Amino acid sequence: MKDKPLKSQIRLTIVLIVVSSLLATIVTYAAGIWLFSYLLYKKINPANYYEAQIPGIEAYIREQGGALIDPAARERLERVIPRDGMDYQVFDAAGNRVYGSSDAAYVAQPEDLIRRLNTTFPARGRFVRAVPVVSGQDGLSGAVLLAYELKVSPASDSGRYWIAALLIVMIATPFIYFVLAILFFTKRFAARVNKPLQMLMAAARQIKNKNLDFELDYRADNELGRLSAAFSEMKDELKRSLSAQWRMEEERRSMTEALAHDLKTPLSLILGYAEALLDDPEAARTAKQARYLDIIRENAEKCSALVRRMLYIAELEGPGLQVRPVEVRIGPFLRQKLSHYELEARQRRIRIEADIRGDADAPVRFDAEMAERILDNVMTNSLEHTPPGGRIRIAVRVRPDRAEYEICNTGPPFSKKDLENLFRRFYRGAEARGSKGGHAGLGLYIVRQLAAKMGGAARAYNAETGEACIAFHHAIETPQTSSARREEARQEGCADE
């Protein structure tokens, strides 16, 4: 059935639900009829039970004749009439009620009583039989009305419970069987449909986790089978494409690393000789030559810094760079780090404000070297774009599981293009925050990569005050969480053994 189209499976499921519930209902009704016939006259009376008693009652009335009009005959008459399901009324020849078990007005006038003698007529929701009372000498002495219903009735005290149970079963079973059939067949249908869907969801998670070495083990000649086949083809094509892309990326990274290594030595030589010439007091040179040497040294230093960053990015993108947590107190760590920027900030007439919240003096563990690199890159970028007389605001919040940093400056706000590309490699900014100082556009790319390595993230935005802000966070470990992780690792090791 799994090879059938989904439309056919749905139709077949509906047919199975209807047919199975009908068959089950028919079987239950047949069993109910058999049980009813078995209990008939033992626990249950048939619908015409009281009607079948009327000929015997009429024979008794004819036998007794006019003596039944006397109220003294009441006890004898009630021995003949089944009182639990039949009412009676005794009238005299004038149409006056003498006695009986019911006060209901089954006939309106005495004339109606005479007219309805020896007939059965409906009245007040019941069937009424009018039986004449005839006396040998006096003729018609009166009449007896017998009122009854044509319905199943209990033959004993437990009979009413059997009737109620049979009635409930007959009414409820079609709905119960229909609901059970829906639950059973829809569960089977859902299981058939859910199996490939679960496999597709698991495959999607594998792709999300960058694992393409798996196979979809589902084959069916229907929509789900074709979807699974198309997904497998997409996965294979993606694997080929990503493999080629990964190879190209690895080649690019290796080439960048090799090029940076190759440039490092000649740049060091150029910088060394330029500094030697500038620092040699005995060297005779003109002012023009000295200016040229300054330019050579300055640009050699820029190239050396760029090479160092390229080498660091190659290391950062490779598998070799590991996070090495050490015990740090964030408050003293941050205050010491900010002191490194005070001289440059004073020279640029820029004010640095810091706000540290949370338990900043408590010992925590994180990679302090990586955190320093992140702060260096963000602060360098902020100092570069903050105008003289401006401000750099640093807000740090220490939470139980991470440290959050927000560094905002009063320089030009980020453009839409900046916000989309700021953390991309070699992006040098839009015109408002254009390249200054010849930077290569690698600083914020390094910030994002390092924050991710440390279990956090980085983002850029414009504050409502107009400030340009870089926010990032990284994970931290407290002594409690560190001991808890060591205990978990120990328990996992014991379990493996």
Side-chain angles (χ1 to χ4, degrees):
M1 183 175 176
K2 80 169 191 175
D3 290 335
K4 294 181 178 294
L6 290 179
K7 185 187 294 185
S8 300
Q9 291 189 41
I10 292 172
R11 290 173 177 170
L12 184 57
T13 301
I14 294 173
V15 170
L16 288 173
I17 290 172
V18 174
V19 171
S20 61
S21 58
L22 282 176
L23 288 176
T25 301
I26 290 171
V27 171
T28 303
Y29 278 11
I33 292 171
W34 176 84
L35 181 61
F36 179 82
S37 62
Y38 174 79
L39 296 173
L40 205 60
Y41 295 108
K42 298 176 183 177
K43 302 288 185 181
I44 300 173
N45 292 325
N48 65 342
Y49 173 78
Y50 294 107
E51 188 177 48
Q53 307 301 313
I54 288 178
I57 298 171
E58 286 184 343
Y60 178 79
I61 292 172
R62 286 194 298 270
E63 178 185 341
Q64 295 296 317
L68 290 176
I69 305 301
D70 186 354
R74 178 171 186 163
E75 184 177 349
R76 297 194 305 273
L77 180 60
E78 288 182 351
R79 293 197 192 104
V80 179
I81 297 174
R83 292 286 313 285
D84 53 352
M86 182 181 288
D87 291 329
Y88 73 95
Q89 294 177 349
V90 178
F91 293 85
D92 58 18
N96 298 315
R97 180 180 177 280
V98 180
Y99 63 91
S101 63
S102 171
D103 295 330
Y106 294 117
V107 292
Q109 301 294 333
E111 296 80 4
D112 294 335
L113 177 63
I114 301 300
R115 183 168 52 83
R116 294 182 181 275
L117 288 174
N118 291 317
T119 64
T120 302
F121 59 92
R124 295 184 176 273
R126 311 185 82 179
F127 291 95
V128 181
R129 176 69 177 179
V131 182
V133 176
V134 180
S135 176
Q137 295 82 13
D138 301 330
L140 184 64
S141 300
V144 177
L145 295 183
L146 303 173
Y148 59 92
E149 292 179 296
L150 289 175
K151 68 175 184 179
V152 175
S153 58
S156 64
D157 291 338
S158 61
R160 60 174 54 90
Y161 300 111
W162 282 104
I163 292 173
L166 286 172
L167 186 63
I168 292 172
V169 168
M170 294 299 181
I171 294 174
T173 48
F175 300 101
I176 294 174
Y177 288 141
F178 188 69
V179 171
L180 291 177
I182 288 175
L183 294 175
F184 177 74
F185 287 107
T186 54
K187 184 177 180 180
R188 292 186 59 189
F189 175 75
R192 287 193 301 270
V193 174
N194 195 44
K195 180 182 176 182
L197 292 180
Q198 290 293 334
M199 294 175 66
L200 289 171
M201 291 173 63
R205 286 192 292 269
Q206 294 271 31
I207 293 176
K208 181 182 177 182
N209 295 329
K210 299 180 181 180
N211 177 24
L212 298 175
D213 294 324
F214 64 89
E215 294 294 332
L216 274 177
D217 188 20
Y218 183 80
R219 304 288 184 273
D221 188 19
N222 60 14
E223 295 89 338
L224 292 174
R226 290 190 287 274
L227 177 62
S228 299
F231 192 94
S232 295
E233 293 175 1
M234 180 195 71
K235 183 265 297 182
D236 294 337
E237 184 61 32
L238 182 62
K239 184 177 181 180
R240 287 190 291 270
S241 176
L242 287 178
S243 297
Q245 183 179 344
W246 290 335
R247 284 195 300 271
M248 291 174 60
E249 184 67 20
E250 182 62 25
E251 291 172 0
R252 180 202 61 77
R253 193 177 67 82
S254 299
M255 184 181 69
T256 301
E257 187 175 2
L259 181 61
H261 274 291
D262 290 343
L263 288 173
K264 186 176 182 181
T265 300
L267 284 172
S268 298
L269 291 172
I270 293 171
L271 183 60
Y273 278 110
E275 289 178 345
L277 290 173
L278 286 170
D279 295 339
D280 186 2
E282 298 179 358
R285 54 180 176 273
T286 64
K288 185 176 182 180
Q289 289 173 335
R291 188 173 73 254
Y292 285 173
L293 286 173
D294 282 332
I295 293 173
I296 291 172
R297 182 178 62 180
E298 181 182 350
N299 285 278
E301 288 176 347
K302 289 179 180 179
C303 288
S304 295
L306 176 59
V307 166
R308 286 194 299 271
R309 286 199 170 191
M310 291 173 66
L311 286 172
Y312 185 71
I313 287 175
E315 182 185 2
L316 185 61
E317 292 176 341
L321 185 63
Q322 300 295 325
V323 178
R324 294 180 174 85
V326 295
E327 188 172 293
V328 181
R329 298 177 190 272
I330 292 181
F333 164 78
L334 191 64
R335 284 189 286 270
Q336 180 184 6
K337 191 63 189 172
L338 293 180
S339 67
H340 298 170
Y341 312 117
E342 289 179 355
L343 177 60
E344 184 177 356
R346 281 198 302 270
Q347 290 173 348
R348 294 173 178 260
R349 293 187 291 116
I350 296 172
R351 189 171 72 257
I352 297 178
E353 298 177 356
D355 178 23
I356 305 174
R357 298 186 181 183
D359 193 0
D361 293 325
V364 295
R365 291 177 60 82
F366 62 89
D367 193 317
E369 183 180 348
M370 287 188 178
E372 283 191 18
R373 281 186 175 270
I374 293 175
L375 287 169
D376 284 339
N377 282 287
V378 178
M379 286 299 296
T380 300
N381 186 77
S382 297
L383 288 167
E384 185 176 330
H385 292 96
T386 303
R391 179 190 65 175
I392 297 175
R393 178 174 55 85
I394 303 167
V396 180
R397 183 162 187 174
V398 182
R399 296 187 181 275
D401 60 342
R402 65 181 186 177
E404 299 173 347
Y405 304 78
E406 181 187 59
I407 301 176
C408 301
N409 64 78
T410 55
F414 296 121
S415 67
K416 182 179 179 182
K417 183 180 179 182
D418 287 336
L419 294 174
E420 293 174 353
N421 301 284
L422 203 60
F423 293 100
R424 292 179 59 184
R425 186 168 39 209
F426 300 118
Y427 178 72
R428 303 182 68 178
E431 293 182 1
R433 299 179 63 90
S435 174
K436 298 179 182 180
H439 74 82
L442 295 173
L444 292 181
Y445 172 76
I446 292 174
V447 167
R448 185 183 66 177
Q449 295 294 104
L450 287 174
K453 283 273 188 182
M454 297 176 69
R459 65 188 181 96
Y461 63 94
N462 293 317
E464 294 181 358
T465 57
E467 296 173 308
C469 299
I470 301 291
F472 64 92
H473 69 272
H474 61 75
I476 61 174
E477 290 185 6
T478 62
Q480 292 79 10
T481 57
S482 298
S483 60
R485 288 189 180 182
R486 287 194 296 269
E487 180 64 20
E488 288 178 4
R490 187 186 66 79
Q491 291 178 357
E492 289 178 0
C494 294
D496 292 338
E497 293 176 2

